[in-house]
Amino acid sequence: MKLYSKYFRRYKQPFFIAVLCVTLEAVCDLLGPTLMSHIVNSGIEKGSLTKVYYWGILMLIVTLIGACFAVARNILASNVSQRMGADLRADLFEKIMSFSEVSADKVESGSLITRMTNDTSQIIQFVNGMMRIFLKAPVVCIGSMILASLLNLRLSLIIYGVVAVVTILIYFSMKISYPRFYQLQKAMDQVNSKVQEYLIGVRLVKAFGTFGKETDKFDEANQNLMQKGIASQMVITIISPLLTLAVGIGTAVVIYIGSSLFTMNLANTGDITAFTIYMAQILTSLIMITNVFTMFVRTKASTARIGEVFDCEEDCLRNNENRKLSGKITFENVTFAYPNGSGVPAIKDLSFSVNSGESLAIIGPTGSGKSTITWLLLRFYDVDRGKIILDNYDITMLGADEVRSNVAVVPQKPMLFSGSVADNLKWGDKLADIDELRHAAEKAQADFIMQMPDGYDSILGSDGVNLSGGQKQRLSIARGILKKASILILDDATSALDAVTESKVREGLKNKEFNQTLIMITQRCGTAMSADKILVMENGRNVGFGTHEELMESCEVYQDIYHTQIESGREA
Ligand SMILES: Nc1ncnc2c1ncn2[C@@H]1O[C@H](COP(=O)(O)OP(=O)(O)OP(=O)(O)O)[C@@H](O)[C@H]1O
């Protein structure tokens, strides 16, 4: 519950006012049966109508006051719980945004959505319930026991017995429920993940006609959720009638023993009536308390899941400085294995260096570690051994924000967001004017923008659904150019472009307005040949570094790529 102390402090005033209202409301409820016993004992039994009116009106006033407190606590409870929920969601979102890549790789996005929605709703409901009914239940329960004892100590022993049985039942139900509710939320994660996966890959599913397989996967997750739902509800399903039974038996015993005491002149009718009402109140509050514990168990499971998100590792520390780097890159014997990977390093003992303003092509078979170089240069991960030096700074001495402000990346899979073309381009530079947008688009050969109905104001669907693969790549390149960072990385970012357009993009990038270092990760030899230096990767290692001519002399892997692509005429 440490997690919530911050929110509790923020809303403690309305929270305590609500608690006060609930307590006063409970007191009003508790007075009811005692007032009723007065109506019976001093009014009805003695034939005094005045007393009946007197105690009756008093009872009405007390009920009215109780109703006013109930309205006040309801308003406060909804307000506080919803505000707390919104604050919690905002903090969770901020935390997720600050996730390190390790954390992002670890927690599935479907699960994060469940935690942001379902688990948070669970906490909202708990806070709301706690302020509205939960506190009232123990007050009414304990108050009923005290007032019943004051009325008749002998009869009240039955109540104590009932409460003891119920306490044991609640204890066991909690013990059994907690792991079940935790499993239930996990099963919900799986359902969300399956739906999300389907939505992301809907076109592929349609193209491959794998609806059946997807439906089977969803059904499996859905069945699992259903079974976990039944298992978690089972405890309450069994406990609730047992509670009612315990209280029912208690009431019957009260009436039976009460009648015997009445015949012995040890109890009067009013007391027995009040006792049965107190028993009913105790039953209601015990059911409430059981619900409290069920909710508490669910909330505990949700809290643990939300706590896991808050405990996730954040991106490397932010520095206050924001140095402008020149773009010089040096890798010194770098070895790196993905923390959640197989343990086999994706990069092994890698060394190379590029001067500021130079262009470097990285070429090599698929899975050879080319993209991993990009992620390391963006400081998404830190190396296990060796050093990455930017200018003269060890990258670990620079804040992640600082590094990223000096590096622009155009990823393998272009990512666009719903909004206008201009909005998407401005990710590179939010202050860019239309001339700068045009200039970047021109360099990236994104001339198709002007043929769109509203030019730069044309609206793109989510992930640029209304664009072709090549158009998305060109917008993504323009966005990278617009950032005007010291290092621009194109990670296989021209794979969907035809050879002529690609060479025009290359020309545009060579025509630099400032001393920018250009890294082109590519599978194409023609692209690599246009760079000042080429790094050849194989199995995470540097197997060749130099100019095209040098590599044609010394690097077998490069020669193989060249002969396969250029001499067989597949490349321009
Ligand atoms: N997030 C990740 N977690 C674990 N392992 C990963 C992750 N990303 C990549 N790898 C592994 O690291 C190795 C290098 O991957 P990388 O993406 O750098 O290769 P690549 O040369 O860019 O391949 P491609 O040309 O196919 O894009 C591969 O074996 C891959 O399975």
Side-chain angles (χ1 to χ4, degrees):
M1 291 294 151
K2 207 176 98 202
L3 183 68
Y4 305 121
S5 55
K6 160 177 153 191
Y7 309 102
F8 179 69
R9 275 199 301 278
R10 200 173 292 164
Y11 297 107
K12 68 171 183 271
Q13 204 179 6
F15 183 85
F16 281 121
I17 297 174
V19 169
L20 185 69
C21 289
V22 172
T23 314
L24 293 173
E25 182 199 347
V27 170
C28 293
D29 283 1
L30 284 170
L31 288 176
T34 301
L35 292 171
M36 174 63 89
S37 81
H38 284 300
I39 293 173
V40 175
N41 289 343
S42 58
I44 300 173
E45 278 202 342
K46 302 218 167 106
S48 166
L49 213 54
T50 327
K51 292 271 176 184
V52 172
Y53 285 148
Y54 174 77
W55 290 110
I57 289 169
L58 206 60
M59 201 169 156
L60 199 67
I61 293 170
V62 168
T63 313
L64 264 173
I65 296 172
C68 292
F69 284 129
V71 172
R73 53 96 167 142
N74 276 356
I75 295 171
L76 285 166
S78 318
N79 226 289
V80 170
S81 58
Q82 289 301 335
R83 279 170 198 275
M84 255 184 84
D87 291 354
L88 185 60
R89 277 194 299 268
D91 287 349
L92 269 173
F93 189 67
E94 201 179 311
K95 176 73 194 189
I96 292 167
M97 299 264 285
S98 72
F99 264 14
S100 68
E101 275 307 293
V102 181
S103 307
D105 288 348
K106 212 163 52 185
V107 195
E108 270 187 33
S109 52
S111 169
L112 285 175
I113 293 171
T114 322
R115 290 170 208 231
M116 287 270 293
T117 50
N118 259 49
D119 288 310
T120 316
S121 297
Q122 191 57 48
I123 285 150
I124 294 176
Q125 272 181 40
F126 182 72
V127 174
N128 189 301
M130 190 165 70
M131 292 173 69
R132 286 175 55 211
I133 48 169
F134 296 175
L135 290 171
K136 185 179 164 186
V139 173
V140 170
C141 186
I142 296 167
S144 295
M145 285 162 70
I146 295 170
L147 290 175
S149 309
L150 292 176
L151 277 177
N152 193 310
L153 198 58
R154 279 198 191 91
L155 278 181
S156 61
L157 292 176
I158 302 162
I159 293 182
Y160 293 135
V162 171
V163 171
V165 170
V166 169
T167 311
I168 294 167
L169 286 176
I170 291 176
Y171 172 77
F172 282 110
S173 85
M174 264 186 79
K175 241 184 126 86
I176 304 167
S177 303
Y178 178 67
R180 295 183 181 212
F181 279 116
Y182 198 86
Q183 292 300 325
L184 178 71
Q185 300 298 80
K186 271 181 100 170
M188 183 83 76
D189 282 353
Q190 281 157 11
V191 168
N192 278 350
S193 296
K194 292 285 167 285
V195 174
Q196 204 194 21
E197 242 171 49
Y198 169 74
L199 291 176
I200 291 170
V202 62
R203 286 189 175 178
L204 214 60
V205 173
K206 284 184 183 170
F208 278 82
T210 52
F211 279 113
K213 209 168 145 206
E214 288 304 306
T215 312
D216 287 350
K217 279 203 285 187
F218 179 80
D219 279 348
E220 196 185 315
N222 197 21
Q223 286 292 318
N224 183 36
L225 177 60
M226 180 196 73
Q227 277 157 8
K228 296 287 182 311
I230 293 173
S232 55
Q233 289 300 322
M234 192 60 81
V235 184
I236 309 162
T237 319
I238 295 169
I239 294 288
S240 291
L242 284 181
L243 278 181
T244 317
L245 185 69
V247 178
I249 292 172
T251 312
V253 175
V254 163
I255 294 170
Y256 175 74
I257 297 181
S259 338
S260 315
L261 293 175
F262 179 73
T263 53
M264 289 186 270
N265 250 347
L266 291 171
N268 52 37
T269 337
D271 293 352
I272 298 169
T273 316
F275 248 86
T276 49
I277 301 175
Y278 278 131
M279 280 303 271
Q281 280 194 348
I282 287 172
L283 169 67
T284 320
S285 48
L286 286 178
I287 289 172
M288 273 192 213
I289 290 172
T290 318
N291 290 339
V292 174
F293 282 115
T294 312
M295 271 224 172
F296 175 76
V297 169
R298 291 191 77 154
T299 308
K300 200 173 155 211
S302 292
T303 301
R305 287 160 50 80
I306 287 178
E308 279 166 17
V309 177
F310 280 119
D311 287 343
C312 275
E313 185 190 292
E314 289 189 10
D315 245 335
C316 336
L317 289 175
R318 287 148 202 256
N319 262 2
N320 290 332
E321 288 191 70
N322 203 359
R323 281 164 282 224
K324 179 89 184 138
L325 303 176
S326 73
K328 183 169 185 258
I329 304 165
T330 309
F331 272 54
E332 272 181 18
N333 307 101
V334 170
T335 296
F336 167 75
Y338 282 96
N340 62 337
S342 59
V344 178
I347 296 287
K348 294 166 202 146
D349 202 21
L350 179 66
S351 299
F352 68 88
S353 127
V354 198
N355 286 324
S356 126
E358 278 184 344
S359 57
L360 169 77
I362 306 178
I363 196 165
T366 171
S368 57
K370 302 183 297 291
S371 298
T372 305
I373 295 176
T374 308
W375 308 137
L376 292 175
L377 274 174
L378 283 162
R379 219 187 152 192
F380 283 172
Y381 304 95
D382 282 334
V383 303
D384 299 328
R385 278 201 303 278
K387 264 187 198 167
I388 297 176
I389 300 166
L390 297 181
D391 285 9
N392 290 321
Y393 303 104
D394 185 324
I395 198 169
T396 53
M397 304 299 290
L398 302 167
D401 280 4
E402 193 177 6
V403 171
R404 288 168 207 167
S405 69
N406 282 284
V407 182
V409 66
V410 184
Q412 228 171 30
K413 188 176 172 292
M415 184 81 196
L416 297 171
F417 299 88
S418 45
S420 69
V421 170
D423 290 340
N424 271 279
L425 292 181
K426 281 184 180 178
W427 270 56
D429 175 5
K430 60 177 185 287
L431 300 173
D433 59 27
I434 186 70
D435 289 334
E436 288 172 291
L437 297 187
R438 281 208 187 102
H439 183 63
E442 213 173 281
K443 279 189 151 193
Q445 300 299 308
D447 39 5
F448 65 89
I449 299 173
M450 291 321 292
Q451 280 137 38
M452 292 175 84
D454 297 309
Y456 285 82
D457 294 325
S458 305
I459 297 298
L460 302 180
S462 172
D463 202 17
V465 72
N466 43 350
L467 295 178
S468 75
Q471 287 172 330
K472 282 195 229 178
Q473 279 197 338
R474 281 179 280 169
L475 278 191
S476 183
I477 295 170
R479 181 164 66 191
I481 293 173
L482 209 57
K483 189 168 174 188
K484 300 184 197 91
S486 321
I487 302 168
L488 173 62
I489 306 175
L490 304 184
D491 186 353
D492 218 358
T494 52
S495 56
L497 305 187
D498 61 83
V500 178
T501 313
E502 199 216 354
S503 88
K504 284 185 183 167
V505 171
R506 265 191 336 244
E507 279 309 307
L509 291 170
K510 268 190 172 173
N511 188 9
K512 294 178 191 163
E513 283 118 53
F514 66 101
N515 212 26
Q516 187 176 47
T517 305
L518 178 65
I519 297 184
M520 295 179 286
I521 295 173
T522 183
Q523 304 275 6
R524 293 181 179 175
C525 213
T527 308
M529 282 162 67
S530 70
D532 299 326
K533 286 179 183 165
I534 303 168
L535 168 67
V536 188
M537 297 286 295
E538 193 180 48
N539 285 329
R541 291 187 189 279
N542 169 352
V543 289
F545 186 72
T547 62
H548 168 70
E549 290 72 25
E550 285 164 357
L551 291 171
M552 284 305 285
E553 295 277 313
S554 60
C555 178
E556 240 177 76
V557 179
Y558 187 75
Q559 286 163 12
D560 280 351
I561 301 173
Y562 179 82
H563 291 310
T564 322
Q565 291 187 8
I566 307 289
E567 289 192 347
S568 65
R570 277 175 48 207
E571 267 279 348

